[in-house]
Amino acid sequence: GIGRWTVYLDSRPMSGRVGFYVATPLELEGGGAVVLVQRGWVPRNFVDRAALPAIQTPAGEVQIEGRIALAPARLYELPGAAAPLQQQGFAVIRQNLDLGAFAAETRLPLAGFTVLQTGPASEGLQRDWPQPAAGVDKHYGYAFQWIGLAALIIVQYVWFQYIAARRNAR
């Protein structure tokens, strides 16, 4: 099945610890379309860098709960860095994952988005994903910036139109 295309994305932190994000392609019901599911996070083995943690990948039809997401964020990658672990010519541990290149490599009809699996920890995976920043603090910062610029313009207008003009007139 397509579970053999499971990828471990290296150097991904969760709850202050370093490990892997685990991503597995999932064929949608009805066949044809395949979506990459970011299934969760597992800690890495610091003694043996290439040792993969034990996770369960259910066979057959599964139902997952999740939300649509972009591809996993790209981390800095040294040019020409080889994957630490390959199985049958397929890089299992990777630093980054480009969806287009992954689709070409696996020959799967991969969708241009991923699914971020949510819900409680299961199958040996944690799912304490960082929440998207939806706070208004950024907007307060922008408002303060614009009010500050407006106040600066008013102060400069008063200075150059009235105070500096009267000094020059004397």
Side-chain angles (χ1 to χ4, degrees):
I2 60 176
R4 70 185 178 105
W5 300 115
T6 295
V7 173
Y8 293 78
L9 298 175
D10 200 2
S11 303
R12 307 298 167 130
M14 186 170 283
S15 302
R17 297 174 30 204
V18 178
F20 301 103
Y21 282 176
V22 179
T24 303
L26 177 70
E27 186 176 1
L28 299 178
E29 189 176 29
V34 175
V35 65
L36 187 70
V37 178
Q38 297 181 57
R39 296 176 55 200
W41 178 90
V42 289
R44 71 170 317 156
N45 183 332
F46 286 100
V47 176
D48 183 4
R49 180 177 169 87
L52 294 176
I55 62 166
Q56 295 85 38
T57 301
E61 191 171 307
V62 295
Q63 183 174 357
I64 65 165
E65 178 182 321
R67 64 179 187 256
I68 294 177
L70 298 173
R74 291 190 61 80
L75 302 179
Y76 182 75
E77 186 173 13
L78 295 173
L85 177 66
Q86 296 203 0
Q87 293 178 352
Q88 300 172 352
F90 175 71
V92 177
I93 297 177
R94 300 174 184 223
Q95 187 69 32
N96 294 303
L97 185 65
D98 177 79
L99 289 181
F102 186 68
E105 177 183 359
T106 60
R107 295 185 185 93
L108 294 172
L110 205 59
F113 60 89
T114 68
V115 171
L116 195 67
Q117 188 172 353
T118 57
S122 64
E123 302 162 347
L125 299 160
Q126 295 179 19
R127 296 188 183 96
D128 187 20
W129 302 109
Q131 294 300 315
V136 297
D137 294 335
K138 178 172 68 171
H139 301 296
Y140 288 143
Y142 287 143
F144 178 76
Q145 177 182 4
W146 284 108
I147 290 171
L149 287 173
L152 178 65
I153 291 170
I154 290 170
V155 167
Q156 286 183 337
Y157 178 80
V158 169
W159 174 262
F160 288 112
Q161 292 297 318
Y162 298 106
I163 299 172
R166 288 187 185 183
R167 284 187 176 177
N168 293 338
R170 291 183 194 175

